[in-house]
Amino acid sequence: MKCIRFLLILTFVLCIQNGFSAKLEERFHWKEVSYAWPSDAAKEEAIKSGRYQSENNLPLGLEVWKSKLFITVPRWKSGVASSLNYVDIESKESSPALIPYPSWEVNSLDSDGTVTTAETTGGRTNAPKATVVDGQLADNSSIISTFRIRVDECDRLWVMDTGLADILGNPKQIAQPALVIFDLNTNKLIKRYTIPPAHIKDDTFFANVMVDAPKNGCEDAFAYIPDLGAYGTVVYSYKADKSWRVRHNFFYFDPVNGDYNVGGVNFQWTDGVFSMALGEQTEQGTRTVYFHALSSTKEFSVPNYVLQNKTRALSSESYYDYSFIGDRGPNGQSTAEFFDEKTKTLIYTQVNKDGIGCWNTSKPYTPDTQGIIDSDSDALVFPNDLKIDRNGNVWVLSDRLPVFIYKKLNPNEFNYRILTGKVSELILGTPCE
């Protein structure tokens, strides 16, 4: 009897330990970003010309597709070698070199963030860099600078290209903001959709994209592009190849939640709607779109069919189609969120807490129902982006962005990390279980 009791107690203790000890596993880390250069000579030339300044290359966004782990490097400063890249998930290296996607040619700019004026022969450009002909990009697959990207259910990569280089230095609008869509099975460009001037305001900044593709309906996909600077959302119809700009009070930042303390840096931001996540999809293709402003602790939602119906979306009556869900509580600012269909849980970053939070969508949205699945004052300093792959694994990229912007990163420390873990295991022992 004593033996049975002991075994029961031991089993209970092990279950408790497993439930509370699940942590994100560090998969990759970098002190400074390196690239898979075509040759040593190409790297030396890029350094000499200023096209590559390693300290200015900060990873920000990520996405997963099969064996590819995509990593974006926005052109915050000059000397960013390539903005859209990937590494092999199965790489045995802890700090693998980034491989430009789909090629070096479409990711290359001059050292000062300008493009080369191309000479053309028979309509084809001879220059190896992203080029402009008569004020237009010569190659529509060119990527100037991207923050966030998204892979849809149809194996397409959607890239929100800001077209803006040297953002923190001498900003240059090389190309107009555009959605650039690739076929991942062929690595070929599907289309480039330039955001119409009417959708762009004085403070517009498009740094994210969410793709809503119904089951068995690749042509019926929509993209939702939040404008964190001018507090709106652009909705794009893939089939119609048209877009419309939606306004709502819930897209604005919260003035009492614009203060941040991250990595020893105190700063204030006024970023509006930024994070978006798609809830569970019905057979009819309807789903909830969750969203929140970066400088806010409140969560909101709107049915996707409201955004997708231009007439309804632009009507003043649509105001009441939006819902306030709840509040994450003090210091609950978040840069990214993603819905896990298996556990019905929303996973999101917690930048002021050096952590990753969660919320079970079957429960009320209150501070008491929010969980922390991991927190680390070193590995998770400014968790910037996260995605959940088709196997239920969450992938998190942390990059110490505030230190990069307002101070200086230490090149002798690991500044950029990618961590991963199974959502179903990470939520054990939290209110999200």
Side-chain angles (χ1 to χ4, degrees):
M1 187 69 179
K2 289 183 178 179
C3 182
I4 294 175
R5 182 180 298 174
F6 173 78
L7 289 174
L8 288 172
I9 292 173
L10 179 60
T11 300
F12 175 76
V13 170
L14 289 174
C15 288
I16 291 296
Q17 288 179 339
N18 288 335
F20 282 84
S21 63
K23 301 276 281 185
L24 289 166
E25 174 188 352
E26 190 169 298
R27 184 67 185 83
F28 299 116
H29 58 208
W30 296 266
K31 294 178 179 178
E32 290 188 340
V33 168
S34 61
Y35 293 87
W37 296 92
S39 65
D40 290 341
K43 179 180 179 180
E44 291 173 6
E45 185 279 328
I47 294 174
K48 184 177 180 179
S49 68
R51 287 193 300 108
Y52 175 50
Q53 301 173 50
S54 59
E55 68 276 11
N56 290 349
N57 290 248
L58 175 134
L60 187 141
L62 83 167
E63 179 58 291
V64 182
W65 182 76
K66 296 185 178 181
S67 64
K68 284 186 170 69
L69 179 62
F70 288 96
I71 300 171
T72 69
V73 183
R75 286 191 159 90
W76 286 109
K77 303 176 182 179
S78 61
V80 171
S82 173
S83 189
L84 178 60
N85 316 275
Y86 72 93
V87 297
D88 186 342
I89 287 180
E90 303 301 326
S91 173
K92 301 302 181 183
E93 298 181 50
S94 58
S95 304
L98 304 191
I99 305 169
Y101 183 90
S103 68
W104 269 109
E105 287 74 19
V106 301
N107 277 281
S108 298
L109 297 182
D110 284 337
S111 60
D112 62 354
T114 60
V115 294
T116 302
T117 301
E119 295 179 0
T120 58
T121 304
R124 299 177 62 87
T125 180
N126 298 321
K129 304 179 180 66
T131 57
V132 171
V133 177
D134 296 330
Q136 300 294 323
L137 284 174
D139 184 350
N140 280 331
S141 62
S142 294
I143 302 298
I144 306 303
S145 181
T146 183
F147 285 69
R148 297 285 171 82
I149 55 180
R150 185 76 174 96
V151 170
D152 68 12
E153 291 82 350
C154 307
D155 294 335
R156 297 175 299 203
L157 177 64
W158 299 61
V159 181
M160 183 58 238
D161 185 4
T162 65
L164 183 64
D166 200 7
I167 300 168
L168 298 177
N170 183 23
K172 297 180 180 66
Q173 193 70 53
I174 294 172
Q176 291 305 301
L179 271 179
V180 189
I181 309 171
F182 294 96
D183 182 338
L184 287 169
N185 291 305
T186 63
N187 300 324
K188 300 297 184 182
L189 175 73
I190 297 175
K191 68 169 66 177
R192 184 185 193 97
Y193 178 78
T194 300
I195 306 299
H199 299 344
I200 300 174
K201 310 302 177 183
D202 289 343
D203 295 322
T204 283
F205 200 87
F206 298 121
N208 199 4
V209 59
M210 180 58 61
V211 183
D212 189 351
K215 298 174 182 176
N216 303 317
C218 295
E219 293 298 310
D220 297 318
F222 286 81
Y224 312 132
I225 309 168
D227 184 346
L228 65 86
Y231 314 126
T233 295
V234 172
V235 180
Y236 168 71
S237 167
Y238 182 84
K239 178 184 288 186
D241 199 32
K242 293 181 179 179
S243 61
W244 46 94
R245 183 183 175 94
V246 180
R247 299 173 59 190
H248 199 278
N249 289 358
F250 293 169
F251 294 156
Y252 285 75
F253 80 105
D254 185 344
V256 299
N257 282 301
D259 189 44
Y260 298 78
N261 288 281
V262 179
V265 182
N266 174 240
F267 57 98
Q268 292 74 41
W269 284 351
T270 58
D271 293 6
V273 59
F274 185 31
S275 299
M276 286 186 161
L278 299 175
E280 189 172 13
Q281 186 175 120
T282 67
E283 289 300 324
Q284 294 73 37
T286 62
R287 63 203 314 176
T288 298
V289 179
Y290 298 100
F291 67 90
H292 62 255
L294 173 53
S295 293
S296 173
T297 60
K298 296 175 173 59
E299 191 73 22
F300 305 93
S301 71
V302 62
N304 66 344
Y305 57 81
V306 173
L307 297 176
Q308 294 174 8
N309 185 320
K310 180 179 179 181
T311 301
R312 184 167 182 173
L314 300 183
S315 168
S316 60
E317 296 179 0
S318 69
Y319 182 89
Y320 297 101
D321 291 324
Y322 294 73
S323 299
F324 168 61
I325 298 179
D327 198 307
R328 289 181 292 277
N331 293 317
Q333 293 92 332
S334 170
T335 56
E337 58 186 345
F338 207 102
F339 177 76
D340 178 52
E341 292 194 10
K342 182 179 180 181
T343 62
K344 315 303 180 191
T345 302
L346 200 65
I347 306 297
Y348 56 88
T349 62
Q350 288 281 262
V351 295
N352 259 330
K353 298 179 180 180
D354 300 335
I356 305 298
C358 65
W359 169 60
N360 189 313
T361 56
S362 66
K363 299 180 180 181
Y365 199 101
T366 68
D368 291 338
T369 60
Q370 310 298 307
I372 294 291
I373 62 176
D374 200 356
S375 181
D376 191 305
S377 59
D378 182 35
L380 287 172
V381 176
F382 208 82
N384 206 321
D385 196 12
L386 66 79
K387 296 291 194 303
I388 298 175
D389 65 24
R390 297 173 186 179
N391 297 315
N393 301 302
V394 62
W395 295 82
V396 179
L397 185 152
S398 65
D399 60 12
R400 302 186 179 184
L401 178 61
V403 181
F404 174 83
I405 293 177
Y406 300 111
K407 291 188 175 181
K408 185 176 177 61
L409 292 170
N410 186 342
N412 298 314
E413 298 178 350
F414 288 111
N415 294 300
Y416 319 126
R417 291 177 168 86
I418 291 179
L419 306 96
T420 186
K422 200 80 172 176
V423 173
S424 58
E425 297 174 0
L426 291 166
I427 64 174
L428 292 176
T430 75
C432 309
E433 185 178 1

